[in-house]
Amino acid sequence: MSWFAQAPSNIALIKYMGKKDTEQNIPINPSLSYTLSNLLSSVNIEEHPGKKDFWEPLDIPGALPFSLSKEGQERYLNHLTRIKAIFNHQGAMMVRSTNNFPQGAGLASSASSFAALTKCAVKALSDLTHKEIFSTEAMAKLSRLGSGSSCRSFFTPWALWDETTVTVPDIPYTELLHQVIIVNHEEKKVSSREAHRRITTSPNYPTRSARAIQNLKALRHAFQDKDWKSAYHVCWQEFQDIHALFSTCKEPFSYITSETKNLLTRLQDLWQTENDGPLITMDAGPNIHVLYRPDQASMAKQFKQKHLIGNHDVF
Ligand code: PMV
């Protein structure tokens, strides 16, 4: 038998950075993300002889090549072991996975890949053990143990994650145009897991949760009032806040390069001249995510043609 599942990535506007519980991945503050339904991870699972689980890239005709480091494979298969233990199943499995977005593009793939693995493994194991399939909420909780941000990938178009619960908030912008501007293709030097650990030594850390909660409140109000410009300001302040945690901790690090700064300035100029523009955010990486409203499609196209084509990849 063979099982297949897919899950989307997501981009947080209010970020998950810092954990109350590192085993259970309980965040120090609520986070809010937009689901990126075009950026998908796919997983296929088959039963496998023997006792050991294996991972290999999933070969989809026409798809881009995909690989996982030894540590990446281990972390992925450990999550499968966790799910197998819940179902009390010992049989070995072959896991194949891939993403429909280029690897090394600096796009967070752990959210979509852990969500897709959780979905696929739950399907396979409930079939094999004749147990009832989990609810979406239960799958999100389980996925969170593998990768925190993956629990938001089970909900769309928006996901609000607080402690152990994810809900779909009512936000009047249900369809946005997402672009990620690639500043650096290289594998990040500090993983998000390491970032969660290092930031706890920043003098800004004890007050981080209060600022995130305040930003969340302000962003939800701005969305409710259809005040796009205020939403942009809150998103800006929010990503600057987590990047300041990175640069002020005991082992400081930064993802912001001179090219990132340059592009951010061009985006600010766009806002300045048009009194309008996209929401801008950055995760634990050098690349810039922008979200436009559907009525800004031609603005998005123009900005891309003028500033990005020939200089940066955009997905
Ligand atoms: O899920 P993790 O442990 O990879 O953490 C993700 C952290 C950020 O991407 C920087 C922010 C977020 O909320 O997605």
Side-chain angles (χ1 to χ4, degrees), residues 72-125:
Q73 292 182 29
E74 205 178 294
R75 192 176 152 212
Y76 212 45
L77 292 177
N78 281 345
H79 187 58
L80 176 67
T81 305
R82 174 185 286 131
I83 305 175
K84 278 175 25 181
I86 292 170
F87 282 86
N88 202 10
H89 182 81
Q90 271 91 40
M93 292 175 157
M94 168 63 81
V95 181
R96 296 184 180 91
S97 70
T98 192
N99 298 333
N100 75 347
F101 47 94
Q103 199 169 20
L107 289 156
S109 65
S110 86
S112 54
S113 52
F114 276 82
L117 173 59
T118 307
K119 270 190 190 172
C120 196
V122 164
K123 249 192 220 180
L125 289 156

Side-chain angles (χ1 to χ4, degrees), residues 184-254:
N184 190 342
H185 280 89
E186 280 170 37
E187 195 79 16
K188 332 188 255 204
K189 284 185 190 77
V190 179
S191 67
S192 58
R193 176 179 281 205
E194 179 65 11
H196 284 291
R197 192 188 67 76
R198 286 203 203 174
I199 53 144
T200 57
T201 58
S202 160
N204 300 353
Y205 186 69
T207 47
R208 161 63 192 157
S209 152
R211 285 193 305 280
I213 290 169
Q214 207 176 334
N215 285 343
L216 175 61
K217 202 171 157 198
L219 184 58
R220 292 198 69 181
H221 270 132
F223 281 151
Q224 228 51 59
D225 297 347
K226 292 220 162 187
D227 181 355
W228 187 256
K229 193 175 182 181
S230 296
Y232 152 69
H233 284 299
V234 179
C235 292
W236 185 277
Q237 199 172 303
E238 171 64 7
F239 86 75
Q240 293 287 353
D241 194 285
I242 67 155
H243 285 260
L245 289 172
F246 302 154
S247 59
T248 55
C249 62
K250 280 205 177 118
E251 297 166 84
F253 57 102
S254 175

Side-chain angles (χ1 to χ4, degrees), residues 21-270:
D21 181 326
T22 47
E23 290 289 306
Q24 299 277 318
N25 286 340
I26 310 286
I28 59 162
N29 61 264
S31 57
L32 175 70
S33 62
Y34 181 72
T35 305
L36 306 173
S37 11
N38 297 329
L39 304 183
L40 293 168
S41 289
S42 300
V43 173
N44 166 269
I45 291 181
E46 276 175 19
E47 288 180 275
H48 190 70
K51 289 199 170 147
K52 198 171 170 321
D53 298 319
F54 285 94
W55 177 89
E56 64 182 31
L58 176 63
D59 198 15
I60 295 184
L64 300 154
F66 184 69
S67 66
L68 264 185
S69 65
K70 266 269 160 285
E71 302 80 69
Q73 292 182 29
E74 205 178 294
R75 192 176 152 212
Y76 212 45
L77 292 177
N78 281 345
H79 187 58
L80 176 67
T81 305
R82 174 185 286 131
I83 305 175
K84 278 175 25 181
I86 292 170
F87 282 86
N88 202 10
H89 182 81
Q90 271 91 40
M93 292 175 157
M94 168 63 81
V95 181
R96 296 184 180 91
S97 70
T98 192
N99 298 333
N100 75 347
F101 47 94
Q103 199 169 20
L107 289 156
S109 65
S110 86
S112 54
S113 52
F114 276 82
L117 173 59
T118 307
K119 270 190 190 172
C120 196
V122 164
K123 249 192 220 180
L125 289 156
S126 54
D127 273 352
L128 288 167
T129 61
H130 308 289
K131 287 188 183 132
E132 216 176 295
I133 192 132
F134 284 22
S135 65
T136 303
E137 288 75 13
M139 280 197 277
K141 283 194 165 98
L142 184 51
S143 201
R144 192 195 74 232
L145 306 177
S147 153
S149 56
S150 74
C151 70
R152 296 187 307 238
S153 281
F154 288 80
F155 302 87
T156 191
W158 293 92
L160 178 63
W161 169 27
D162 194 6
E163 300 255 331
T164 60
T165 310
V166 190
T167 51
V168 179
D170 189 16
I171 289 175
Y173 299 98
T174 53
E175 224 175 285
L176 297 175
L177 203 95
H178 170 259
Q179 288 178 349
V180 54
I181 308 167
I182 309 302
V183 176
N184 190 342
H185 280 89
E186 280 170 37
E187 195 79 16
K188 332 188 255 204
K189 284 185 190 77
V190 179
S191 67
S192 58
R193 176 179 281 205
E194 179 65 11
H196 284 291
R197 192 188 67 76
R198 286 203 203 174
I199 53 144
T200 57
T201 58
S202 160
N204 300 353
Y205 186 69
T207 47
R208 161 63 192 157
S209 152
R211 285 193 305 280
I213 290 169
Q214 207 176 334
N215 285 343
L216 175 61
K217 202 171 157 198
L219 184 58
R220 292 198 69 181
H221 270 132
F223 281 151
Q224 228 51 59
D225 297 347
K226 292 220 162 187
D227 181 355
W228 187 256
K229 193 175 182 181
S230 296
Y232 152 69
H233 284 299
V234 179
C235 292
W236 185 277
Q237 199 172 303
E238 171 64 7
F239 86 75
Q240 293 287 353
D241 194 285
I242 67 155
H243 285 260
L245 289 172
F246 302 154
S247 59
T248 55
C249 62
K250 280 205 177 118
E251 297 166 84
F253 57 102
S254 175
Y255 301 103
I256 301 192
T257 64
S258 57
E259 197 42 41
T260 313
K261 281 191 192 144
N262 196 359
L263 279 162
L264 289 174
T265 306
R266 271 183 239 164
L267 285 160
Q268 283 177 309
D269 292 345
L270 174 70

